[in-house]
């Protein structure tokens, strides 16, 4: 039968809850039609098969895969590309296959057939009941597969060379980044790669390099489940293997520590930056590698970490995470439900599973769906890629990883932090529930204390820096340092801070959210003059280099004018054996580390002052008159807006000096029921 006379194949019904389909993909030459056969297998029989990880892309069923009987399965273009590249080339063929113009496997183990699970053909996409059942099984499918084949798209003529060069780059970067931060030489990418004698990339190779990082696979949500649950991962770009599969995730983690946009190696002599999406791609790839090594998270934390990844079906923002969720999470996929119903159900399940209200933290999205304010809207992309305010203080505590996987320590800190919170965030107290959900699932009632209110409209910091919502990686400009200097000088703040300390001490602590304590009391007392002195110095340098592209170590990368010298900070009491040069090294390290953290934190939040004089960071959706509250069972502080019938949950806040709920109760503050609508 000619393929032009083929009819569409109908799916045979799935027999039971452990049955799924696999594709026996026949070998074929480049350009030939796809041929194969779809069979049913049962997980209980431990079948041998591979599983495909790929980007769906355009959901139009524009291509075909034919079976030996002349019927066809409609498939998407991206699936057709993946199967065409991954199918084996024939070792022998029959007379009939010659006549058809492609190759059909004989019934012998000659290695010409690929047995693979690919959801686009192995699941009947028109049957919601089947999709519901099969998606529930996908965690086991990918976990039991002999290998997961991750296909990131077609290759280009430069792909093989770019992958080879990328492996060299990563190898030399890890040697540098594995040196402890305090002993690490202040050199940049170009220094590292020049010393390693890595040949520069051509312009065409640079374009291919960034194209590989920016392809949709890097931010695809389903890839998290497929990579985390797999026994073995093999990645391909076209027919070119990417070995190890973690090559690009580990490079992204290195870029997260050392900015690549200063480097001629990565951006060329013109330093033309790639598309705005590069920051999001780098962070998602970093998280993918880190999650594979540290995967034990509560469900609220898992949702936050996975929110940067995207899926074409908004319901899959939840369903793609269920196989990774704790067993205590009582939720299964149901494609007959709307996205709104799924998000409400997932939020309730997260509260019940984690025994906390952590799910109220950290997803700073625009509200697209008509949801209660306490239900995170995962359907829209994050406004900015950032850590939650409740976890950011720990997440970057040790940003210089000391092992090959650079984000592993970040995630370990996050896991420890959340574990500590959950231990102190029980949703029950002395037998009394600390929350209740109304029968219509529209109102969540929690216990808490309204502490204060916002005095004036908070300052959107990224606007002050000249950044847009698409600038995921901070571009350090004179505006960023001018803002920081103005804040450190505490202009307009007089008297004592509400906690009794000075406003200078409060400002220094607030801006980097009390991230670290200093090794000596002497250094702690000197940190403000160190910061003011060095930030002033940076601005003076920039006045001579207005077009400077500022890296974390940019002071070491430029030749200072003769009339400009680094600030001299006197630290009496350091002892006779400590030279002024050593003191200056300490001061510079403290200042640049502080700037590094503030730039990472502040770009995504707004700075505010409360009616009582407190300072802090708040969600960008907060406004003057909004209330600052603490909620029992949830970490940190929150911004509420009084509405008819209750309060709208606006988002998170970090207010320096606000005490915990038990301390405030002991001081006479009244805990109330807060109805979140």
């Amino acid at each position: 039968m000619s393929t032009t006379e083929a009819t569409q194949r109908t799916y045979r019904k799935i027999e039971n809850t452990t049955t799924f389909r696999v594709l026996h993909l026949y070998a074929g030459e480049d350009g030939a039609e796809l041929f194969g056969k779809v069979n049913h297998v049962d997980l209980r029989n431990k079948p041998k098969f591979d599983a495909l990880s790929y980007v769906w892309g355009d959901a139009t069923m524009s291509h075909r895969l034919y079976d030996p009987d002349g019927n066809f399965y409609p498939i998407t273009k991206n699936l057709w590309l993946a199967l065409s590249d991954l199918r084996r080339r024939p070792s022998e063929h029959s007379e009939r296959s010659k006549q058809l113009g492609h190759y059909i496997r004989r019934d012998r183990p000659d290695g010409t057939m690929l047995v693979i699970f690919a959801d686009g053909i192995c699941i009947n996409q028109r049957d919601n009941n089947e999709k519901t059942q099969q998606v529930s099984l996908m965690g086991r499918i990918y976990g039991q597969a002999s290998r997961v084949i991750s296909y990131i798209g077609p290759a280009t003529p430069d792909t093989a060379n770019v992958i080879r060069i990328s492996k060299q780059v990563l190898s030399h970067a890890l040697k540098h980044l594995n040196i402890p931060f305090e002993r690490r030489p202040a050199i940049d990418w170009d220094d590292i790669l020049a010393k390693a004698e890595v040949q520069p990339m051509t312009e065409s190779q640079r374009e291919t390099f960034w194209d590989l990082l920016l392809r949709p696979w890097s931010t695809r949500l389903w890839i998290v489940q497929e990579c985390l649950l797999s026994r073995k991962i093999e990645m391909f770009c076209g027919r070119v293997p990417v070995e190890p599969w973690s090559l690009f995730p580990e490079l992204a983690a290195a870029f997260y520590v050392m900015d690549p946009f200063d480097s001629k190696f990565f951006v060329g002599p013109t330093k033309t930056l790639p598309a705005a999406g590069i920051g999001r791609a780098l962070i998602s790839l970093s998280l993918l590698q880190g999650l594979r090594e540290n995967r034990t998270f509560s469900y609220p934390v898992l949702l936050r970490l996975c929110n940067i990844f995207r899926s074409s079906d908004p319901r899959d923002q939840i369903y793609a995470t269920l196989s990774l969720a704790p067993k205590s999470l009582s939720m299964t996929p149901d494609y007959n439900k709307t996205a709104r119903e799924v998000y409400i159900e997932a939020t309730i399940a997260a509260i019940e599973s984690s025994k906390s209200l952590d799910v109220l933290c950290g997803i700073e999205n625009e509200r697209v769906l008509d949801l209660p304010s306490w239900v995170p809207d995962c359907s829209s992309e994050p406004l900015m890629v950032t850590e939650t305010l409740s976890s950011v203080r720990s997440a970057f505590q040790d940003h210089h990883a000391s092992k090959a996987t650079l984000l592993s320590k970040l995630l370990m800190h996050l896991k420890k932090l959340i574990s500590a919170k959950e231990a102190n965030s029980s949703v029950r107290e002395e037998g009394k529930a600390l929350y209740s959900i109304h029968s219509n699932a529209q109102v969540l009632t929690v216990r808490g204390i309204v502490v204060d209110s916002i005095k004036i409209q908070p300052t959107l910091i990224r606007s002050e820096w000249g950044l847009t919502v698409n600038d995921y990686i901070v571009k350090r400009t004179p505006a960023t340092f001018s803002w920081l200097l103005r804040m450190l000088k505490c202009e307009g703040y007089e008297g004592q801070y509400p906690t009794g300390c000075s406003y200078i001490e409060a400002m220094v602590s607030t801006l980097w959210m009390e991230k670290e304590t200093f090794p000596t009391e002497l250094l702690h007392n000197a940190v403000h003059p160190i910061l003011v002195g060095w930030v002033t110095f940076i601005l003076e340098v920039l006045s001579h280099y207005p077009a400077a592209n500022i890296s974390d170590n940019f002071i070491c990368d430029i030749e200072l004018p003769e009339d400009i010298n680094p600030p001299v900070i006197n630290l009496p009491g350091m002892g006779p054996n400590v030279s002024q040069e050593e003191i200056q090294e300490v001061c510079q390290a403290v200042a640049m580390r502080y700037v590094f953290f503030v730039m990472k934190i502040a770009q995504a939040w707004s700075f505010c002052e409360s009616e009582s004089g407190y300072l802090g960071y708040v969600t960008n959706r907060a406004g003057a008159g909004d209330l600052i509250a603490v909620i029992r069972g949830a970490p940190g502080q929150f911004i509420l807006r009084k509405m008819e019938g209750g309060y709208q949950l606006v988002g998170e806040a970090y207010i320096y000096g606000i005490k915990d709920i038990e301390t405030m109760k002991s001081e006479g503050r009244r805990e109330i029921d807060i109805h979140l609508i």
Side-chain angles (χ1 to χ4, degrees):
M1 178 183 292
S2 167
T3 56
T4 59
E5 301 172 353
T7 58
Q8 184 169 331
R9 182 84 182 190
T10 57
Y11 284 92
R12 180 161 58 92
K13 186 176 176 62
I14 295 288
E15 292 89 352
N16 57 57
T17 57
T18 55
T19 299
F20 66 105
R21 301 184 185 95
V22 293
L23 168 65
H24 293 253
L25 180 63
Y26 298 155
E29 296 285 9
D30 292 338
E33 297 283 6
L34 288 177
F35 268 73
K37 188 174 183 180
V38 175
N39 290 330
H40 288 209
V41 293
D42 195 314
L43 278 174
R44 293 173 297 183
N45 298 329
K46 299 182 178 179
K48 300 295 183 183
F49 66 98
D50 297 323
L52 178 63
S53 170
Y54 71 107
V55 177
W56 259 72
D58 185 353
T60 304
M61 301 293 180
S62 56
H63 290 63
R64 294 180 174 186
L65 181 144
Y66 296 93
D67 71 10
D69 299 326
N71 300 314
F72 72 87
Y73 294 92
I75 58 176
T76 64
K77 177 183 177 180
N78 279 8
L79 180 54
W80 185 89
L81 288 170
L83 296 177
S84 296
D85 277 335
L86 296 174
R87 65 179 167 183
R88 297 177 177 132
R89 278 19 183 187
S91 58
E92 63 178 89
H93 52 84
S94 65
E95 191 65 28
R96 173 170 169 75
S97 67
K98 287 183 182 179
Q99 296 170 1
L100 288 174
H102 38 239
Y103 300 88
I104 309 276
R105 175 192 178 275
R106 292 179 178 180
D107 291 327
R108 52 171 293 184
D110 58 8
T112 59
M113 182 184 293
L114 181 66
V115 182
I116 193 165
F117 170 82
D119 60 351
I121 191 170
C122 295
I123 298 176
N124 183 358
Q125 300 298 322
R126 296 182 176 181
D127 186 339
N128 279 342
N129 291 327
E130 180 177 305
K131 282 175 63 178
T132 295
Q133 187 270 330
Q134 289 289 285
V135 169
S136 299
L137 198 61
M138 281 177 65
R140 294 180 61 189
I141 291 173
Y142 280 88
Q144 198 164 311
S146 300
R147 59 175 177 164
V148 169
I149 302 176
S150 179
Y151 179 81
I152 65 175
T156 71
D158 288 316
T159 296
N161 279 332
V162 167
I163 291 172
R164 175 183 56 80
I165 293 170
S166 299
K167 291 165 74 171
Q168 291 179 307
V169 169
L170 179 62
S171 173
H172 295 296
L174 291 177
K175 291 177 183 177
H176 174 68
L177 292 171
N178 285 338
I179 301 172
F181 183 80
E182 62 275 7
R183 299 201 305 271
R184 188 186 305 159
I187 59 178
D188 61 16
W189 279 108
D190 289 337
D191 293 329
I192 293 171
L193 300 177
K195 289 180 179 179
E197 298 183 347
V198 177
Q199 291 298 311
M201 289 190 285
T202 65
E203 189 62 34
S204 174
Q205 289 172 339
R206 272 193 293 269
E207 290 179 3
T208 298
F209 175 82
W210 289 113
D211 171 69
L212 291 174
L213 282 174
L214 285 168
R215 288 186 181 190
W217 73 275
S218 63
T219 55
R220 174 179 170 267
L221 180 54
W222 283 105
I223 198 175
V224 178
Q225 171 188 264
E226 293 157 3
C227 288
L228 264 61
L229 298 179
S230 62
R231 300 175 180 176
K232 177 183 179 182
I233 304 174
E234 293 184 9
M235 181 175 284
F236 289 87
C237 180
R239 295 182 60 79
V240 179
V242 181
E243 298 174 337
W245 80 270
S246 59
L247 172 64
F248 292 118
E250 291 203 55
L251 265 177
F255 287 163
Y256 202 63
V257 177
M258 287 197 304
D259 193 339
F261 300 149
D262 311 333
S263 166
K264 292 181 181 179
F265 186 90
F266 294 112
V267 297
T270 60
K271 293 196 174 182
T272 302
L273 297 180
I278 184 65
R280 182 169 156 229
L282 294 183
I283 296 175
S284 61
L285 284 170
S286 301
L287 283 175
L288 181 62
Q289 173 66 0
L291 282 167
R292 186 164 168 83
E293 295 204 0
N294 302 287
R295 63 183 71 178
T296 308
F297 295 98
S298 68
Y299 192 60
V301 177
L302 184 67
L303 282 180
R304 293 204 295 266
L305 293 175
C306 289
N307 188 237
I308 187 175
F309 299 92
R310 294 286 96 195
S311 59
S312 54
D313 186 331
R315 295 170 293 188
D316 286 339
Q317 290 296 127
I318 301 299
Y319 292 158
T321 66
L322 293 183
S323 294
L324 308 172
K327 292 181 179 179
S328 58
L329 189 81
S330 57
M331 185 176 180
T332 56
D334 185 350
Y335 283 94
N336 293 305
K337 293 181 177 179
T338 65
R340 184 180 191 277
E341 292 172 323
V342 171
Y343 289 2
I344 293 174
E345 180 185 3
T347 304
I348 295 173
I351 293 172
E352 297 286 358
S353 170
S354 65
K355 305 302 182 188
S356 78
L357 295 171
D358 284 355
V359 75
L360 303 182
C361 303
I363 300 183
E364 290 297 313
N365 294 14
E366 291 285 3
R367 309 295 288 187
V368 175
L369 298 179
D370 178 23
L371 291 165
S373 65
W374 50 275
V375 176
D377 188 350
C378 302
S379 65
S380 62
E381 297 186 16
L383 288 174
M384 292 288 287
V385 178
T386 182
E387 289 68 24
T388 68
L389 280 174
S390 57
S391 62
V392 71
R393 292 168 54 191
S394 170
F396 282 102
Q397 190 78 12
D398 190 3
H399 69 283
H400 64 280
S402 63
K403 54 186 293 189
T405 304
L406 299 174
L407 263 284
S408 61
K409 282 200 170 184
L410 184 155
L411 291 167
M412 283 299 293
H413 279 297
L414 180 58
K415 182 166 68 173
K416 291 176 183 177
L417 178 72
I418 297 299
S419 298
K421 288 175 184 170
E422 289 180 343
N424 297 311
S425 299
S426 173
V427 296
R428 301 189 66 84
E429 182 183 64
E430 298 177 356
K432 179 181 179 181
L434 298 183
Y435 74 90
S436 62
I437 299 168
H438 291 216
S439 58
N440 62 1
Q442 296 298 308
V443 179
L444 173 69
T445 298
V446 297
R447 299 282 294 170
I449 297 175
V450 176
V451 181
D452 206 343
S453 63
I454 298 176
K455 185 176 182 180
I456 57 176
Q457 183 65 32
T459 302
L460 182 58
I461 300 169
R462 67 167 179 263
S463 295
E464 294 242 330
W465 294 351
L467 300 180
T468 70
V469 71
N470 292 320
D471 289 317
Y472 292 99
I473 299 296
V474 173
K475 300 174 185 173
R476 297 169 184 84
T477 67
T480 63
F481 290 95
S482 295
W483 174 87
L484 181 55
L485 182 61
R486 188 171 72 253
M487 301 303 291
L488 288 171
K489 287 185 175 179
C490 293
E491 296 172 355
Y493 297 103
E494 298 178 354
Q496 281 192 325
Y497 193 71
T499 60
C501 68
S502 69
Y503 264 98
I504 284 178
E505 180 181 338
M507 184 67 77
V508 170
S509 298
T510 299
L511 289 177
W512 74 343
M513 300 175 69
E514 306 171 274
K515 292 186 63 57
E516 294 185 351
T517 56
F518 293 98
T520 67
E521 187 65 26
L522 178 68
L523 188 56
H524 185 276
N525 293 335
V527 69
H528 184 260
I530 290 173
L531 295 174
V532 172
W534 274 89
V535 173
T536 303
F537 168 62
I538 290 168
L539 284 170
E540 190 174 3
V541 172
L542 290 177
S543 68
H544 287 71
Y545 297 90
N549 192 348
I550 310 167
S551 67
D552 290 330
N553 295 309
F554 81 100
I555 292 177
C556 304
D557 301 334
I558 60 178
E559 184 177 346
L560 296 178
E562 292 183 0
D563 59 335
I564 296 182
N565 293 303
V568 176
I569 308 294
N570 294 316
L571 297 179
M574 290 293 285
N577 297 324
V578 180
S579 68
Q580 186 63 39
E581 289 76 14
E582 290 174 312
I583 292 175
Q584 292 305 99
E585 287 181 5
V586 171
C587 292
Q588 180 179 344
V590 168
M592 296 310 293
R593 190 169 175 83
Y594 185 92
V595 169
F596 174 88
F597 284 126
V598 173
M599 297 299 135
K600 294 291 186 184
I601 298 168
Q603 63 168 325
W605 304 95
S606 293
F607 191 84
C608 85
E609 180 182 353
S610 78
E611 289 286 355
S612 302
Y614 287 100
L615 305 176
Y617 291 113
V618 294
T619 170
N620 292 330
R621 293 197 298 268
D626 285 343
L627 305 175
I628 301 167
V630 291
I631 295 175
R632 186 175 293 279
Q637 300 102 33
F638 295 87
I639 301 300
L640 306 179
R641 187 168 296 157
K642 190 75 173 74
M643 308 288 286
E644 183 178 353
Y647 296 89
Q648 177 186 346
L649 179 62
V650 180
E652 273 191 282
Y654 167 77
I655 310 297
Y656 177 69
I658 295 287
K659 299 175 181 177
D660 64 84
I661 199 167
E662 291 299 337
T663 302
M664 285 191 286
K665 280 187 68 177
S666 68
E667 294 174 350
R669 301 297 291 265
R670 188 167 65 92
E671 188 175 8
I672 62 171
D673 285 337
I674 298 174
H675 304 293
L676 300 178
I677 59 175

